[in-house]
């Protein structure tokens, strides 16, 4: 069966199948960006592991950040099925030739940010990634199934943390509101530019890599989050947010698209710090990779 026939019949494309060069390039781009996001995404929450308020919260946070490392490694393996080299992908990230999600370029100012990242950032990730379980590239779609299960656990832990804080002192409640105010708009930006300004969506939809457009998923996320905000008792910082009876959806304001562009191109509040740390981890870990490679070669009888 040809590539086009497989796509038309909704069959999965597997690593050994013929595929257009553009499809391969697009998949490597998306999977690599996704993997980089998971690995860089360990930093904002990782900053709170040593400062978690209780042993229970520390254990939960450690496990969550460890899951994110696992997702990153899983995704690099999926990229390798397309002929990509993981060391090369990391080099491209560090040199600024490949992107990672804009959301991880914002600072985590209080422990409430850990809860809000779980609720909103993992919530947005789930909204975006559940349809990717039906993405046309087999190894990516299968990776998404496990990743989404873990993300939904992450989202619940974030929401549970926020419920606990909202039942606490007035200071704790205002920490939660402050974190929601800072993370709401960047969370909406995670879905990418508006459809009219998204160069990749049309082709990725035709290839069934993406199953919904950026705006469709953003709307789904808003519709899902508003009732959760109400039951939590926080206000979402958008004066235009209201239920539209006719559409059967919430109307909402536009994120600052110029800000998204700035953050994607390296000029967000934490971009330099995120890449500096990623580069340091890569340099500091070089001896481990060398030792593992030498050990592997010895086992294989090469050296
Ligand atoms: N940030 O034409 P489009 C997580 C880029 S979740 C940075 O619309 P596309 C879990 C885009 O790449 C986060 N760059 O592109 C977690 C393209 O650039 P290029 C990761 C962005 O691909 C939670 C250009 O703008 N999730 O890590 C962003 O069709 C908590 C034009 O855009 C994924 O990666 C952005 N927000 O749609 C971890 C999901 N938006 O390459 C820790 C998989 C757009 O042409 C803690 N990816 N760009 O130079 C996707 O679904 C898609 O790639 C989109 C973008 C929807 C992100």
């Amino acid at each position: 069966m040809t590539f086009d026939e497989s796509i038309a019949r909704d069959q999965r494309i597997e690593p050994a199948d013929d595929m257009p060069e553009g499809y391969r390039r697009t998949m490597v781009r998306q999977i690599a960006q996704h993997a980089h996001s998971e690995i860089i995404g360990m930093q904002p929450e990782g900053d709170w592991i040593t400062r978690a308020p209780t042993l229970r919260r520390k254990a939960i946070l450690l496990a969550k950040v460890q899951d994110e490392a696992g997702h990153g490694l899983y995704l690099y393996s999926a990229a390798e099925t397309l002929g990509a080299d993981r060391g090369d992908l990391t080099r491209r990230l560090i040199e600024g030739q490949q992107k990672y999600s804009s959301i991880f370029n914002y600072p985590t100012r209080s422990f409430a940010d850990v809860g809000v990242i779980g609720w909103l950032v993992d919530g947005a990730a789930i909204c975006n990634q559940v349809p990717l379980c039906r993405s046309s590239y087999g190894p990516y779609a299968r990776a998404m199934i496990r990743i989404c299960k873990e993300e939904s656990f992450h989202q619940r832990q974030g929401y549970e943390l926020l419920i606990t804080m909202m039942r606490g002192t007035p200071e704790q409640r205002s920490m939660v509101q402050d974190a929601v105010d800072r993370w709401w708009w960047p969370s909406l930006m995670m879905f990418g530019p508006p459809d009219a300004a998204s160069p990749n969506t049309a082709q990725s939809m035709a290839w069934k890599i993406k199953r919904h457009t950026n705006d469709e998923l953003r709307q789904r996320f808003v519709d899902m989050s508003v009732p959760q905000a109400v039951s939590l008792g926080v206000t979402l910082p958008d004066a235009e947010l209201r239920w539209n009876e006719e559409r059967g959806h919430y109307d909402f304001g536009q994120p600052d698209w110029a800000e998204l562009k700035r953050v994607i191109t390296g000029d967000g509040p934490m971009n330099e710090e995120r890449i500096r740390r990623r580069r340091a981890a890569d340099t500091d870990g070089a001896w481990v990779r060398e030792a593992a490679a030498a050990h592997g070669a010895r086992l294989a009888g090469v050296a």
Side-chain angles (χ1 to χ4, degrees), residues 29-30 33-34 37-38 45 68 99-102 104 122 128 140 151 189-190 192-193 198-200 210 214 264:
R29 173 182 69 81
Q30 179 162 328
Q33 284 180 9
H34 197 163
S37 303
E38 298 279 359
E45 291 163 289
E68 284 152 9
K99 299 185 169 73
Y100 59 94
S101 181
S102 52
F104 302 117
D122 283 283
N128 169 267
Y140 187 51
E151 305 281 32
M189 294 177 197
M190 286 174 71
S198 163
N200 300 304
K210 286 169 86 162
N214 299 355
I264 289 182

PDB file of all heavy atoms in Angstrom, residues 29-30 33-34 37-38 45 68 99-102 104 122 128 140 151 189-190 192-193 198-200 210 214 264, ligand 1:
ATOM      1  N   ARG A  29      10.597  16.992  13.505  1.00  0.00           N
ATOM      2  CA  ARG A  29      10.473  18.334  14.104  1.00  0.00           C
ATOM      3  C   ARG A  29       9.510  18.296  15.294  1.00  0.00           C
ATOM      4  O   ARG A  29       9.862  18.722  16.395  1.00  0.00           O
ATOM      5  CB  ARG A  29       9.937  19.315  13.042  1.00  0.00           C
ATOM      6  CG  ARG A  29       9.612  20.687  13.579  1.00  0.00           C
ATOM      7  CD  ARG A  29       9.031  21.602  12.499  1.00  0.00           C
ATOM      8  NE  ARG A  29       7.705  21.234  12.056  1.00  0.00           N
ATOM      9  CZ  ARG A  29       6.565  21.542  12.711  1.00  0.00           C
ATOM     10  NH1 ARG A  29       6.621  22.231  13.832  1.00  0.00           N
ATOM     11  NH2 ARG A  29       5.401  21.173  12.247  1.00  0.00           N
ATOM     12  N   GLN A  30       8.323  17.742  15.087  1.00  0.00           N
ATOM     13  CA  GLN A  30       7.329  17.771  16.166  1.00  0.00           C
ATOM     14  C   GLN A  30       7.742  16.881  17.347  1.00  0.00           C
ATOM     15  O   GLN A  30       7.624  17.277  18.505  1.00  0.00           O
ATOM     16  CB  GLN A  30       5.954  17.352  15.630  1.00  0.00           C
ATOM     17  CG  GLN A  30       4.903  17.346  16.728  1.00  0.00           C
ATOM     18  CD  GLN A  30       3.485  17.374  16.208  1.00  0.00           C
ATOM     19  OE1 GLN A  30       3.218  17.957  15.168  1.00  0.00           O
ATOM     20  NE2 GLN A  30       2.563  16.762  16.938  1.00  0.00           N
ATOM     21  N   GLN A  33      10.668  18.546  19.216  1.00  0.00           N
ATOM     22  CA  GLN A  33      10.203  19.690  20.020  1.00  0.00           C
ATOM     23  C   GLN A  33       9.463  19.205  21.254  1.00  0.00           C
ATOM     24  O   GLN A  33       9.580  19.782  22.332  1.00  0.00           O
ATOM     25  CB  GLN A  33       9.249  20.561  19.195  1.00  0.00           C
ATOM     26  CG  GLN A  33       9.968  21.424  18.182  1.00  0.00           C
ATOM     27  CD  GLN A  33       8.995  22.281  17.365  1.00  0.00           C
ATOM     28  OE1 GLN A  33       7.810  22.350  17.666  1.00  0.00           O
ATOM     29  NE2 GLN A  33       9.513  22.931  16.354  1.00  0.00           N
ATOM     30  N   HIS A  34       8.698  18.157  21.066  1.00  0.00           N
ATOM     31  CA  HIS A  34       7.926  17.618  22.184  1.00  0.00           C
ATOM     32  C   HIS A  34       8.881  17.030  23.237  1.00  0.00           C
ATOM     33  O   HIS A  34       8.746  17.286  24.438  1.00  0.00           O
ATOM     34  CB  HIS A  34       6.960  16.564  21.633  1.00  0.00           C
ATOM     35  CG  HIS A  34       5.845  16.219  22.559  1.00  0.00           C
ATOM     36  ND1 HIS A  34       4.709  15.585  22.144  1.00  0.00           N
ATOM     37  CD2 HIS A  34       5.710  16.402  23.893  1.00  0.00           C
ATOM     38  CE1 HIS A  34       3.908  15.408  23.189  1.00  0.00           C
ATOM     39  NE2 HIS A  34       4.501  15.888  24.258  1.00  0.00           N
ATOM     40  N   SER A  37      10.642  19.692  25.094  1.00  0.00           N
ATOM     41  CA  SER A  37       9.733  20.368  26.038  1.00  0.00           C
ATOM     42  C   SER A  37       9.642  19.584  27.341  1.00  0.00           C
ATOM     43  O   SER A  37       9.608  20.161  28.431  1.00  0.00           O
ATOM     44  CB  SER A  37       8.323  20.489  25.444  1.00  0.00           C
ATOM     45  OG  SER A  37       8.364  21.173  24.223  1.00  0.00           O
ATOM     46  N   GLU A  38       9.584  18.272  27.219  1.00  0.00           N
ATOM     47  CA  GLU A  38       9.502  17.449  28.433  1.00  0.00           C
ATOM     48  C   GLU A  38      10.768  17.615  29.272  1.00  0.00           C
ATOM     49  O   GLU A  38      10.700  17.739  30.495  1.00  0.00           O
ATOM     50  CB  GLU A  38       9.303  15.973  28.075  1.00  0.00           C
ATOM     51  CG  GLU A  38       8.010  15.671  27.329  1.00  0.00           C
ATOM     52  CD  GLU A  38       6.780  15.563  28.246  1.00  0.00           C
ATOM     53  OE1 GLU A  38       6.927  15.699  29.470  1.00  0.00           O
ATOM     54  OE2 GLU A  38       5.673  15.341  27.702  1.00  0.00           O
ATOM     55  N   GLU A  45       9.379  23.175  37.615  1.00  0.00           N
ATOM     56  CA  GLU A  45       8.899  22.501  38.826  1.00  0.00           C
ATOM     57  C   GLU A  45      10.063  21.944  39.639  1.00  0.00           C
ATOM     58  O   GLU A  45      10.021  21.927  40.871  1.00  0.00           O
ATOM     59  CB  GLU A  45       7.972  21.353  38.457  1.00  0.00           C
ATOM     60  CG  GLU A  45       6.663  21.798  37.887  1.00  0.00           C
ATOM     61  CD  GLU A  45       5.984  20.641  37.174  1.00  0.00           C
ATOM     62  OE1 GLU A  45       6.461  20.226  36.098  1.00  0.00           O
ATOM     63  OE2 GLU A  45       4.984  20.144  37.711  1.00  0.00           O
ATOM     64  N   GLU A  68       8.451  13.197  33.717  1.00  0.00           N
ATOM     65  CA  GLU A  68       8.717  14.076  32.563  1.00  0.00           C
ATOM     66  C   GLU A  68      10.017  13.660  31.877  1.00  0.00           C
ATOM     67  O   GLU A  68      10.102  13.643  30.638  1.00  0.00           O
ATOM     68  CB  GLU A  68       8.769  15.542  33.019  1.00  0.00           C
ATOM     69  CG  GLU A  68       7.365  16.086  33.294  1.00  0.00           C
ATOM     70  CD  GLU A  68       7.308  17.198  34.330  1.00  0.00           C
ATOM     71  OE1 GLU A  68       8.376  17.701  34.740  1.00  0.00           O
ATOM     72  OE2 GLU A  68       6.183  17.561  34.735  1.00  0.00           O
ATOM     73  N   LYS A  99      13.122  24.097  18.656  1.00  0.00           N
ATOM     74  CA  LYS A  99      12.314  24.771  19.670  1.00  0.00           C
ATOM     75  C   LYS A  99      11.890  23.818  20.792  1.00  0.00           C
ATOM     76  O   LYS A  99      12.002  22.605  20.662  1.00  0.00           O
ATOM     77  CB  LYS A  99      11.055  25.318  19.002  1.00  0.00           C
ATOM     78  CG  LYS A  99      11.296  26.332  17.909  1.00  0.00           C
ATOM     79  CD  LYS A  99       9.955  26.869  17.416  1.00  0.00           C
ATOM     80  CE  LYS A  99      10.129  28.071  16.526  1.00  0.00           C
ATOM     81  NZ  LYS A  99      10.653  27.722  15.190  1.00  0.00           N
ATOM     82  N   TYR A 100      11.383  24.424  21.843  1.00  0.00           N
ATOM     83  CA  TYR A 100      10.665  23.692  22.895  1.00  0.00           C
ATOM     84  C   TYR A 100       9.515  24.595  23.311  1.00  0.00           C
ATOM     85  O   TYR A 100       9.503  25.784  22.961  1.00  0.00           O
ATOM     86  CB  TYR A 100      11.590  23.343  24.079  1.00  0.00           C
ATOM     87  CG  TYR A 100      12.219  24.547  24.729  1.00  0.00           C
ATOM     88  CD1 TYR A 100      11.643  25.155  25.851  1.00  0.00           C
ATOM     89  CD2 TYR A 100      13.380  25.108  24.214  1.00  0.00           C
ATOM     90  CE1 TYR A 100      12.218  26.267  26.439  1.00  0.00           C
ATOM     91  CE2 TYR A 100      13.960  26.227  24.795  1.00  0.00           C
ATOM     92  CZ  TYR A 100      13.379  26.800  25.903  1.00  0.00           C
ATOM     93  OH  TYR A 100      13.937  27.915  26.469  1.00  0.00           O
ATOM     94  N   SER A 101       8.560  24.038  24.071  1.00  0.00           N
ATOM     95  CA  SER A 101       7.338  24.809  24.321  1.00  0.00           C
ATOM     96  C   SER A 101       7.618  26.120  25.061  1.00  0.00           C
ATOM     97  O   SER A 101       8.350  26.149  26.063  1.00  0.00           O
ATOM     98  CB  SER A 101       6.340  23.967  25.122  1.00  0.00           C
ATOM     99  OG  SER A 101       5.167  24.720  25.327  1.00  0.00           O
ATOM    100  N   SER A 102       6.967  27.167  24.571  1.00  0.00           N
ATOM    101  CA  SER A 102       7.073  28.509  25.156  1.00  0.00           C
ATOM    102  C   SER A 102       6.764  28.507  26.663  1.00  0.00           C
ATOM    103  O   SER A 102       7.336  29.288  27.412  1.00  0.00           O
ATOM    104  CB  SER A 102       6.085  29.437  24.445  1.00  0.00           C
ATOM    105  OG  SER A 102       4.783  28.862  24.444  1.00  0.00           O
ATOM    106  N   PHE A 104       7.586  26.858  29.136  1.00  0.00           N
ATOM    107  CA  PHE A 104       8.628  26.590  30.127  1.00  0.00           C
ATOM    108  C   PHE A 104       9.629  27.730  30.251  1.00  0.00           C
ATOM    109  O   PHE A 104      10.654  27.599  30.920  1.00  0.00           O
ATOM    110  CB  PHE A 104       9.290  25.240  29.824  1.00  0.00           C
ATOM    111  CG  PHE A 104       8.275  24.131  29.816  1.00  0.00           C
ATOM    112  CD1 PHE A 104       8.014  23.394  28.670  1.00  0.00           C
ATOM    113  CD2 PHE A 104       7.527  23.860  30.955  1.00  0.00           C
ATOM    114  CE1 PHE A 104       7.036  22.407  28.651  1.00  0.00           C
ATOM    115  CE2 PHE A 104       6.544  22.875  30.953  1.00  0.00           C
ATOM    116  CZ  PHE A 104       6.294  22.148  29.795  1.00  0.00           C
ATOM    117  N   ASP A 122      -0.410  20.873  32.467  1.00  0.00           N
ATOM    118  CA  ASP A 122      -0.675  19.467  32.128  1.00  0.00           C
ATOM    119  C   ASP A 122      -2.064  19.326  31.511  1.00  0.00           C
ATOM    120  O   ASP A 122      -2.266  18.501  30.614  1.00  0.00           O
ATOM    121  CB  ASP A 122      -0.516  18.562  33.356  1.00  0.00           C
ATOM    122  CG  ASP A 122       0.951  18.320  33.676  1.00  0.00           C
ATOM    123  OD1 ASP A 122       1.576  17.511  32.982  1.00  0.00           O
ATOM    124  OD2 ASP A 122       1.482  18.974  34.590  1.00  0.00           O
ATOM    125  N   ASN A 128      -4.134  18.708  24.108  1.00  0.00           N
ATOM    126  CA  ASN A 128      -3.390  18.672  22.848  1.00  0.00           C
ATOM    127  C   ASN A 128      -2.973  17.243  22.476  1.00  0.00           C
ATOM    128  O   ASN A 128      -2.960  16.868  21.305  1.00  0.00           O
ATOM    129  CB  ASN A 128      -2.169  19.594  23.016  1.00  0.00           C
ATOM    130  CG  ASN A 128      -1.152  19.467  21.907  1.00  0.00           C
ATOM    131  OD1 ASN A 128      -0.211  18.694  22.028  1.00  0.00           O
ATOM    132  ND2 ASN A 128      -1.344  20.193  20.834  1.00  0.00           N
ATOM    133  N   TYR A 140       4.909   7.373  17.471  1.00  0.00           N
ATOM    134  CA  TYR A 140       4.523   8.590  18.201  1.00  0.00           C
ATOM    135  C   TYR A 140       3.149   8.398  18.847  1.00  0.00           C
ATOM    136  O   TYR A 140       2.962   8.692  20.030  1.00  0.00           O
ATOM    137  CB  TYR A 140       4.504   9.769  17.217  1.00  0.00           C
ATOM    138  CG  TYR A 140       4.282  11.134  17.854  1.00  0.00           C
ATOM    139  CD1 TYR A 140       5.047  11.569  18.938  1.00  0.00           C
ATOM    140  CD2 TYR A 140       3.326  12.017  17.357  1.00  0.00           C
ATOM    141  CE1 TYR A 140       4.856  12.820  19.504  1.00  0.00           C
ATOM    142  CE2 TYR A 140       3.127  13.272  17.902  1.00  0.00           C
ATOM    143  CZ  TYR A 140       3.894  13.673  18.978  1.00  0.00           C
ATOM    144  OH  TYR A 140       3.705  14.922  19.530  1.00  0.00           O
ATOM    145  N   GLU A 151       0.126  12.056  32.243  1.00  0.00           N
ATOM    146  CA  GLU A 151      -0.211  13.492  32.313  1.00  0.00           C
ATOM    147  C   GLU A 151      -1.529  13.695  33.058  1.00  0.00           C
ATOM    148  O   GLU A 151      -1.702  14.692  33.758  1.00  0.00           O
ATOM    149  CB  GLU A 151      -0.365  14.131  30.927  1.00  0.00           C
ATOM    150  CG  GLU A 151       0.809  13.999  29.972  1.00  0.00           C
ATOM    151  CD  GLU A 151       1.948  14.954  30.217  1.00  0.00           C
ATOM    152  OE1 GLU A 151       2.171  15.310  31.390  1.00  0.00           O
ATOM    153  OE2 GLU A 151       2.623  15.328  29.256  1.00  0.00           O
ATOM    154  N   MET A 189      -1.304  29.928  25.081  1.00  0.00           N
ATOM    155  CA  MET A 189      -0.327  30.021  23.982  1.00  0.00           C
ATOM    156  C   MET A 189       0.308  28.673  23.645  1.00  0.00           C
ATOM    157  O   MET A 189       0.898  28.505  22.583  1.00  0.00           O
ATOM    158  CB  MET A 189       0.781  31.018  24.339  1.00  0.00           C
ATOM    159  CG  MET A 189       0.314  32.448  24.469  1.00  0.00           C
ATOM    160  SD  MET A 189       1.700  33.487  24.963  1.00  0.00           S
ATOM    161  CE  MET A 189       0.826  34.941  25.554  1.00  0.00           C
ATOM    162  N   MET A 190       0.205  27.710  24.566  1.00  0.00           N
ATOM    163  CA  MET A 190       0.806  26.389  24.303  1.00  0.00           C
ATOM    164  C   MET A 190       0.246  25.744  23.038  1.00  0.00           C
ATOM    165  O   MET A 190       0.885  24.894  22.432  1.00  0.00           O
ATOM    166  CB  MET A 190       0.536  25.431  25.471  1.00  0.00           C
ATOM    167  CG  MET A 190       1.356  25.708  26.705  1.00  0.00           C
ATOM    168  SD  MET A 190       0.823  24.624  28.051  1.00  0.00           S
ATOM    169  CE  MET A 190       1.427  23.025  27.529  1.00  0.00           C
ATOM    170  N   GLY A 192      -0.199  27.000  20.266  1.00  0.00           N
ATOM    171  CA  GLY A 192       0.388  27.545  19.044  1.00  0.00           C
ATOM    172  C   GLY A 192      -0.345  28.772  18.558  1.00  0.00           C
ATOM    173  O   GLY A 192      -1.355  29.181  19.138  1.00  0.00           O
ATOM    174  N   PRO A 193       0.140  29.373  17.464  1.00  0.00           N
ATOM    175  CA  PRO A 193      -0.472  30.591  16.935  1.00  0.00           C
ATOM    176  C   PRO A 193      -1.892  30.310  16.452  1.00  0.00           C
ATOM    177  O   PRO A 193      -2.279  29.152  16.277  1.00  0.00           O
ATOM    178  CB  PRO A 193       0.440  30.960  15.751  1.00  0.00           C
ATOM    179  CG  PRO A 193       1.156  29.702  15.395  1.00  0.00           C
ATOM    180  CD  PRO A 193       1.256  28.894  16.644  1.00  0.00           C
ATOM    181  N   SER A 198      -0.793  29.857  11.394  1.00  0.00           N
ATOM    182  CA  SER A 198      -0.070  28.611  11.675  1.00  0.00           C
ATOM    183  C   SER A 198       0.381  27.971  10.356  1.00  0.00           C
ATOM    184  O   SER A 198      -0.423  27.381   9.639  1.00  0.00           O
ATOM    185  CB  SER A 198      -1.001  27.646  12.439  1.00  0.00           C
ATOM    186  OG  SER A 198      -0.493  26.332  12.387  1.00  0.00           O
ATOM    187  N   PRO A 199       1.680  28.089  10.020  1.00  0.00           N
ATOM    188  CA  PRO A 199       2.136  27.602   8.724  1.00  0.00           C
ATOM    189  C   PRO A 199       2.039  26.081   8.559  1.00  0.00           C
ATOM    190  O   PRO A 199       1.911  25.592   7.435  1.00  0.00           O
ATOM    191  CB  PRO A 199       3.602  28.055   8.663  1.00  0.00           C
ATOM    192  CG  PRO A 199       3.999  28.352  10.078  1.00  0.00           C
ATOM    193  CD  PRO A 199       2.747  28.712  10.810  1.00  0.00           C
ATOM    194  N   ASN A 200       2.077  25.324   9.666  1.00  0.00           N
ATOM    195  CA  ASN A 200       2.167  23.860   9.534  1.00  0.00           C
ATOM    196  C   ASN A 200       0.846  23.113   9.616  1.00  0.00           C
ATOM    197  O   ASN A 200       0.771  21.931   9.261  1.00  0.00           O
ATOM    198  CB  ASN A 200       3.092  23.307  10.629  1.00  0.00           C
ATOM    199  CG  ASN A 200       4.492  23.877  10.534  1.00  0.00           C
ATOM    200  OD1 ASN A 200       5.144  23.781   9.504  1.00  0.00           O
ATOM    201  ND2 ASN A 200       4.959  24.527  11.605  1.00  0.00           N
ATOM    202  N   LYS A 210      -1.740  15.903  12.941  1.00  0.00           N
ATOM    203  CA  LYS A 210      -2.618  16.657  13.846  1.00  0.00           C
ATOM    204  C   LYS A 210      -4.054  16.280  13.480  1.00  0.00           C
ATOM    205  O   LYS A 210      -4.381  16.137  12.307  1.00  0.00           O
ATOM    206  CB  LYS A 210      -2.420  18.165  13.657  1.00  0.00           C
ATOM    207  CG  LYS A 210      -1.122  18.680  14.253  1.00  0.00           C
ATOM    208  CD  LYS A 210      -0.822  20.111  13.826  1.00  0.00           C
ATOM    209  CE  LYS A 210      -1.463  21.155  14.693  1.00  0.00           C
ATOM    210  NZ  LYS A 210      -0.791  22.491  14.513  1.00  0.00           N
ATOM    211  N   ASN A 214      -5.056  24.294  15.979  1.00  0.00           N
ATOM    212  CA  ASN A 214      -4.640  24.943  17.235  1.00  0.00           C
ATOM    213  C   ASN A 214      -5.838  25.631  17.915  1.00  0.00           C
ATOM    214  O   ASN A 214      -6.028  25.519  19.132  1.00  0.00           O
ATOM    215  CB  ASN A 214      -3.555  25.995  16.953  1.00  0.00           C
ATOM    216  CG  ASN A 214      -2.304  25.388  16.325  1.00  0.00           C
ATOM    217  OD1 ASN A 214      -2.201  24.171  16.175  1.00  0.00           O
ATOM    218  ND2 ASN A 214      -1.350  26.229  15.943  1.00  0.00           N
ATOM    219  N   ILE A 264       9.047  32.396  21.803  1.00  0.00           N
ATOM    220  CA  ILE A 264       9.492  31.310  20.916  1.00  0.00           C
ATOM    221  C   ILE A 264      10.857  31.624  20.315  1.00  0.00           C
ATOM    222  O   ILE A 264      11.678  30.728  20.102  1.00  0.00           O
ATOM    223  CB  ILE A 264       8.463  31.067  19.783  1.00  0.00           C
ATOM    224  CG1 ILE A 264       7.197  30.425  20.334  1.00  0.00           C
ATOM    225  CG2 ILE A 264       9.042  30.179  18.698  1.00  0.00           C
ATOM    226  CD1 ILE A 264       6.155  30.119  19.265  1.00  0.00           C
TER     227      ILE A 264
HETATM  228  N1  LIG B   1       5.980  27.019  21.914  1.00  0.00           N
HETATM  229  O1  LIG B   1       2.452  25.978  12.467  1.00  0.00           O
HETATM  230  P1  LIG B   1       2.421  25.830  13.950  1.00  0.00           P
HETATM  231  C1  LIG B   1       4.665  19.051  27.866  1.00  0.00           C
HETATM  232  C2  LIG B   1       6.084  26.789  16.820  1.00  0.00           C
HETATM  233  S1  LIG B   1       3.512  19.750  26.832  1.00  0.00           S
HETATM  234  C3  LIG B   1       7.042  26.922  21.100  1.00  0.00           C
HETATM  235  O2  LIG B   1       1.085  25.931  14.609  1.00  0.00           O
HETATM  236  P2  LIG B   1       2.627  23.007  14.607  1.00  0.00           P
HETATM  237  C4  LIG B   1       4.173  18.264  29.079  1.00  0.00           C
HETATM  238  C5  LIG B   1       5.897  25.545  15.982  1.00  0.00           C
HETATM  239  O3  LIG B   1       6.698  24.509  16.470  1.00  0.00           O
HETATM  240  C6  LIG B   1       4.378  20.834  25.689  1.00  0.00           C
HETATM  241  N2  LIG B   1       6.926  26.845  19.748  1.00  0.00           N
HETATM  242  O4  LIG B   1       3.183  24.478  14.355  1.00  0.00           O
HETATM  243  C7  LIG B   1       4.643  18.831  30.362  1.00  0.00           C
HETATM  244  C8  LIG B   1       6.303  26.049  14.619  1.00  0.00           C
HETATM  245  O5  LIG B   1       7.727  26.170  14.582  1.00  0.00           O
HETATM  246  P3  LIG B   1       8.651  25.503  13.440  1.00  0.00           P
HETATM  247  C9  LIG B   1       4.894  20.157  24.473  1.00  0.00           C
HETATM  248  C10 LIG B   1       5.667  26.832  19.253  1.00  0.00           C
HETATM  249  O6  LIG B   1       3.772  22.123  14.893  1.00  0.00           O
HETATM  250  C11 LIG B   1       3.740  19.442  31.204  1.00  0.00           C
HETATM  251  C12 LIG B   1       5.778  27.477  14.625  1.00  0.00           C
HETATM  252  O7  LIG B   1       5.669  27.863  15.985  1.00  0.00           O
HETATM  253  N3  LIG B   1       3.845  19.595  23.683  1.00  0.00           N
HETATM  254  O8  LIG B   1       5.792  19.191  27.566  1.00  0.00           O
HETATM  255  C13 LIG B   1       4.522  26.910  20.054  1.00  0.00           C
HETATM  256  O9  LIG B   1       1.674  22.614  13.531  1.00  0.00           O
HETATM  257  C14 LIG B   1       4.153  19.989  32.417  1.00  0.00           C
HETATM  258  C15 LIG B   1       4.442  27.602  13.920  1.00  0.00           C
HETATM  259  O10 LIG B   1       3.372  26.909  14.627  1.00  0.00           O
HETATM  260  C16 LIG B   1       4.014  19.302  22.348  1.00  0.00           C
HETATM  261  O11 LIG B   1       5.045  19.537  21.783  1.00  0.00           O
HETATM  262  C17 LIG B   1       4.713  27.006  21.447  1.00  0.00           C
HETATM  263  N4  LIG B   1       3.696  27.101  22.289  1.00  0.00           N
HETATM  264  O12 LIG B   1       1.742  23.153  15.955  1.00  0.00           O
HETATM  265  C18 LIG B   1       5.984  18.755  30.765  1.00  0.00           C
HETATM  266  C19 LIG B   1       2.823  18.648  21.669  1.00  0.00           C
HETATM  267  N5  LIG B   1       3.439  26.894  19.260  1.00  0.00           N
HETATM  268  O13 LIG B   1       8.987  24.151  13.919  1.00  0.00           O
HETATM  269  C20 LIG B   1       6.395  19.328  31.973  1.00  0.00           C
HETATM  270  C21 LIG B   1       3.105  18.241  20.256  1.00  0.00           C
HETATM  271  C22 LIG B   1       3.879  26.817  17.987  1.00  0.00           C
HETATM  272  O14 LIG B   1       7.852  25.466  12.174  1.00  0.00           O
HETATM  273  C23 LIG B   1       5.473  19.944  32.802  1.00  0.00           C
HETATM  274  N6  LIG B   1       3.171  19.364  19.360  1.00  0.00           N
HETATM  275  N7  LIG B   1       5.215  26.788  17.992  1.00  0.00           N
HETATM  276  O15 LIG B   1       9.864  26.364  13.364  1.00  0.00           O
HETATM  277  C24 LIG B   1       2.087  19.928  18.722  1.00  0.00           C
HETATM  278  O16 LIG B   1       0.951  19.519  18.929  1.00  0.00           O
HETATM  279  C25 LIG B   1       2.353  21.026  17.747  1.00  0.00           C
HETATM  280  O17 LIG B   1       3.709  20.984  17.390  1.00  0.00           O
HETATM  281  C26 LIG B   1       1.978  22.457  18.262  1.00  0.00           C
HETATM  282  C27 LIG B   1       2.360  23.489  17.195  1.00  0.00           C
HETATM  283  C28 LIG B   1       0.475  22.533  18.507  1.00  0.00           C
HETATM  284  C29 LIG B   1       2.724  22.805  19.539  1.00  0.00           C
END
